[in-house]
Amino acid sequence: MRDSNYQSIDPGWDAPARRKAEHDGPMSDNGTPTAVLLHGWPVTTGHWRFLVPALDAAGITAVPVTLPGLGAVPAPEVTDFRKETLADLVRARLARDGVTRYAVVGHDWGATVGYLMAAVAPDSVTALVVEEEILPGVDIEIPPAGRDHYPSWHGPFNRAAGLAERLVPGREAPYYGTFLEQSAGPSGLDPTAVRAYVDAYSAPGVLESGLAYYRTRSQDVDDVRAFSDRPIATPVLAIGGRYAMGEAVADGLAALATDVTPLVAEQSGHYPAEQEPDEVNQAIVRFLRQHS
């Protein structure tokens, strides 16, 4: 079910971790399972508004992270949007807050960052949830139901140097709104959530940083393919929406991970954690408890 009363989550990524670490000491030492949540484009930490309470009820500490530029202006020192660089940045910030062992739940670009975190630091990442992402460099076709709904225009458009910068300013609502509507599939998204996402990405400076995620493709492909001959052993739950990437999420991970559990959300598009929160988020909780 979907909640019509949209509740946003504080996008400050280090506050939950620091509060917990200051109270109990490092999270890796106090026996409390921790899940780092990395959303993608073009949503915000509001994507996790149903998952965070489910994790809390299960005794899992949620740490929602806003990756630089995804719905918020990045810090001035962040200029490299290569996903391996962002993975290193997240790990360093978490370690500084005493968070050294955790699961990662990643959606869209957040899942690519999460995969690279698990690949580089397998002793830190206990489990990985990949929601609606086919990693860069993975050559696999999405199923017919997804091809009928999930847009293919945004990748080339966002990668074309200077194009979006000339066409989008002043037209943010149709640009982001069209992608959100199409990628959600037949069941759609809560209109209040869509407005919140569009508002966040319409802030000055956010367009350019969001585009930068698409313009490091060649480096991201190289970084992911570097692990094709040494797939990660971290347990992975691969979630696809039937009207988006579907089973291609799990199939695309077959060469990159040795322990992949597939899940297709039958009523969802690109946002299963929002579109089918009861079923999907309980599956995430069960998976994380199994591998905590």
Side-chain angles (χ1 to χ4, degrees), residues 196-213:
Y197 296 152
V198 172
D199 286 348
Y201 280 81
S202 298
V206 174
L207 171 65
E208 293 77 9
S209 54
L211 297 173
Y213 277 74

Side-chain angles (χ1 to χ4, degrees), residues 127-191:
L128 174 64
V129 178
V130 173
E131 182 195 10
E132 271 294 302
E133 177 72 328
I134 298 171
L135 273 60
V138 173
D139 186 14
I140 192 167
E141 195 171 64
I142 65 175
R147 292 199 300 273
D148 288 343
H149 293 275
Y150 190 74
S152 59
W153 57 264
H154 66 293
F157 181 81
N158 289 349
R159 284 192 292 270
L163 183 61
E165 290 92 333
R166 295 171 73 92
L167 297 180
V168 172
R171 304 178 182 89
E172 288 84 359
Y175 167 61
Y176 294 112
T178 297
F179 177 80
L180 288 162
E181 177 184 0
Q182 292 176 346
S183 60
S187 62
L189 284 171
D190 187 307

